Amino acid sequence: MGKFQVIDHPLIQHKLTIIRDKDCGTKVFREVVNEIAMLMAYEVSRDMPLEDIVIETPICESTQKTLSGKKVAIVPILRAGIGMVDGILELIPAAKVGHIGLYRDHDTLEPVEYFVKMPEDIDARQLFVVDPMLATGGSAIMAIDALKARGGSNIKFVCLVAAPEGVKALQEAHPDIDIYTAALDEYLDKDGYIVPGLGDAGDRLFGTK
Ligand code: URA
């Protein structure tokens, strides 16, 4: 089973409270989502492999550490996932960004991918799939299915707020992936909102209703 980690650093908890407040407006919401995503990226990237390289400091030749292994691609699930991309890019500026938009057809119940644009080499990259809310887990599961179908294998899922129902569903569907969240909330209500949650993350990020 992959890792499940609540990244509950005090700064993250403080910032999460700011965006949970219903009176937090679009500008601050957008800024703080990116700030939390950046802080989370620090922890999510903790196990990145290092290798030795020899450099010359102004004083002497020296063996030092440099990142090795897979390069990163951030994959936001449309549309709310876009709100986390810039924050992660602050820490990992060379990451590529793939976008994925999908929904489940009401009649056939089959996933419909309405937009998928990935870097060519996703099979060779560490993929950070991002979506602020892990509610039922439906979109995360479909997005990861779509990435695996294209050769993606090294996948971490990063969200801000998770419902226990979504964590369970995602772990059952994709036991190999690591899940990171800033908070594990109480439950999903009958309309599919996370309680206490923060409402509709996409609407709050983009100022829509
Ligand atoms: N998606 C959201 O944006 N918010 C929720 O509470 C659940 C799903």
Side-chain angles (χ1 to χ4, degrees):
M1 180 69 75
K3 183 190 317 193
F4 171 71
Q5 188 178 342
V6 179
I7 304 177
D8 56 357
H9 188 285
L11 285 171
I12 292 180
Q13 292 190 52
H14 175 83
K15 289 174 190 292
L16 205 48
T17 302
I18 293 173
I19 59 171
R20 283 186 192 275
D21 190 322
K22 67 178 174 41
D23 294 327
C24 173
T26 304
K27 172 179 181 288
V28 172
F29 191 92
R30 200 178 279 150
E31 287 168 359
V32 176
V33 165
N34 272 312
E35 288 169 13
I36 297 172
M38 181 191 64
L39 292 167
M40 291 185 77
Y42 180 77
E43 194 56 39
V44 172
S45 58
R46 182 174 287 282
D47 60 1
M48 279 181 164
L50 293 169
E51 64 187 358
D52 288 344
I53 55 164
V54 179
I55 58 161
E56 274 187 46
T57 75
I59 310 300
C60 66
E61 193 175 274
S62 172
T63 302
Q64 296 294 336
K65 302 289 179 195
T66 189
L67 286 170
S68 69
K70 298 193 170 180
K71 297 201 173 1
V72 170
I74 307 163
V75 182
I77 301 178
L78 301 181
R79 97 190 129 126
I82 290 172
M84 297 171 67
V85 172
D86 286 348
I88 300 176
L89 284 172
E90 289 271 326
L91 279 198
I92 313 173
K96 294 199 172 171
V97 181
H99 293 83
I100 184 157
L102 31 73
Y103 62 90
R104 194 178 294 282
D105 184 280
H106 282 303
D107 299 325
T108 66
L109 298 184
E110 287 297 314
V112 179
E113 298 172 1
Y114 64 85
F115 188 83
V116 181
K117 191 85 179 173
M118 290 298 143
E120 263 175 5
D121 55 350
I122 60 164
D123 52 329
R125 285 186 179 263
Q126 164 77 72
L127 304 176
F128 293 171
V129 178
V130 300
D131 193 348
M133 311 301 276
L134 177 59
T136 61
S139 351
I141 291 167
M142 289 191 290
I144 293 166
D145 284 340
L147 293 177
K148 287 184 174 175
R150 288 168 174 78
S153 61
N154 198 339
I155 301 173
K156 293 173 187 275
F157 180 81
V158 188
C159 62
L160 303 189
V161 181
E165 296 88 333
V167 175
K168 183 165 178 285
L170 184 52
Q171 283 177 328
E172 280 173 7
H174 293 293
D176 54 308
I177 70 151
D178 294 338
I179 303 172
Y180 298 85
T181 186
L184 180 61
D185 274 11
E186 290 166 26
Y187 63 94
L188 278 183
D189 74 10
K190 63 176 179 22
D191 300 315
Y193 283 101
I194 299 176
V195 182
L198 48 73
D200 186 305
D203 281 345
R204 298 200 64 197
L205 273 166
F206 297 112
T208 51
K209 261 275 178 293

